[in-house]
Amino acid sequence: MLAIDAAAYRSPWRRVHPAAKGVFFGGLLVCALALPTWPAAPLVAVVALAAAFGPARVSPRAFARAAWVPLLFIFTGSLALLVTVGGPHGAVAFDPAGPAQAAEVTGRAAAAVCCQLLFAFTTPLADLLPRLTRIGLPSALVEVVALIYRMLFVTLDSARRIQTGQAGRLGYVDRRAWIRSVGSLGAALFVRSYDRAQRMQRGLECRGYTGELTVLIDDLNLRPAAVAAAAAPPLLVAAATLGYTFLGAGP
């Protein structure tokens, strides 16, 4: 099981209805994307991280492991905004407006990544997917996502077993052996995944598959008070940002 999924199943917020968590983290995400970057992005990040490391009890170490790759991608991508390409000879030059643009993009994207990751750290996908059909998503699309999600763990386990066998046979002893072993690993995974998908399809047909997978969903009460409490922090962030913006623009 992936670290994010394991943390989501252990989270004390698992018993909170996904809609309430969607209002909370989704509202913060909208604030990060729609409101002025400063101070919206820092406020969103602070509120989300305070809720995650506080009542949600998300492990800071696990969050750092999951966040460093997308945050590094955001940072390296924003560096391109520091330069401009133009002029008579197509020269690359420093853009005076680049640092402000890079800071704005980095702030918005980093705050948005925090919201999405923390929603994933507190909400197992198995609790979320069956409820998506209730808000109008096609059941076929939800079922395809669920099947891919479940087969992902089987594929990762198969890759781990194959890699262990290759390593035991000195399959990664040098560069040439490493390239050959990685190619063999990819080919074996493709064949096994295709065969497993075919067997799954035949199994569903033999069990009278009618176009919809019926699964048992935990009964979680969605209370209006919980939704109101979840909506309060995004509204406060929006009010604080707009107030700061209007006061700063005043005489």
Side-chain angles (χ1 to χ4, degrees):
M1 181 177 290
L2 300 178
I4 293 181
D5 295 276
Y9 278 103
R10 293 193 303 264
S11 173
W13 279 14
R14 188 194 172 185
R15 303 305 303 173
V16 178
H17 198 283
K21 289 179 285 187
V23 169
F24 178 65
F25 290 114
L28 291 177
L29 178 62
V30 171
C31 290
L33 298 178
L35 295 176
T37 308
W38 316 111
L43 286 177
V44 166
V46 168
V47 172
L49 293 176
F53 300 151
R57 284 185 277 176
V58 175
S59 171
R61 185 175 182 180
F63 176 79
R65 286 181 177 179
W68 78 270
V69 173
L71 291 179
L72 180 62
F73 176 80
I74 292 169
F75 176 75
T76 54
S78 65
L79 295 179
L81 299 174
L82 299 178
V83 298
T84 181
V85 180
H89 304 290
V92 179
F94 175 76
D95 186 1
Q101 296 178 354
E104 181 176 355
V105 170
T106 302
R108 287 187 186 276
V113 166
C114 288
C115 295
Q116 296 177 67
L117 283 178
L118 294 173
F119 180 79
F121 267 100
T122 57
T123 309
L125 199 60
D127 293 346
L128 176 64
L129 288 177
R131 293 180 170 87
L132 293 180
T133 56
R134 299 179 181 178
I135 61 175
L137 266 69
S139 58
L141 175 62
V142 175
E143 289 171 7
V144 169
V145 174
L147 290 175
I148 293 175
Y149 170 71
R150 286 174 172 82
M151 290 188 65
L152 175 64
F153 298 101
V154 180
T155 304
L156 290 175
D157 182 67
S158 299
R160 192 177 299 112
R161 292 173 181 271
I162 295 174
Q163 188 177 27
T164 301
Q166 290 176 331
R169 295 174 175 85
L170 303 180
Y172 298 93
V173 66
D174 55 25
R175 183 179 180 86
R176 171 182 257 175
W178 185 89
I179 295 175
R180 183 173 60 251
S181 297
V182 170
S184 301
L185 174 62
L189 281 180
F190 176 78
V191 173
R192 290 192 181 187
S193 300
Y194 186 77
D195 178 68
R196 188 174 290 113
Q198 285 186 321
R199 288 190 280 114
M200 181 181 294
Q201 180 181 359
R202 289 196 296 267
L204 290 173
E205 292 173 352
C206 293
R207 289 170 175 82
Y209 177 66
T210 59
E212 183 176 358
L213 294 174
T214 303
V215 296
L216 183 64
I217 304 176
D218 291 340
D219 188 15
L220 301 177
N221 295 326
L222 180 60
R223 295 175 296 176
V227 177
L235 292 176
L236 291 176
V237 169
T241 301
L242 294 177
Y244 177 84
T245 303
F246 290 145
L247 289 177

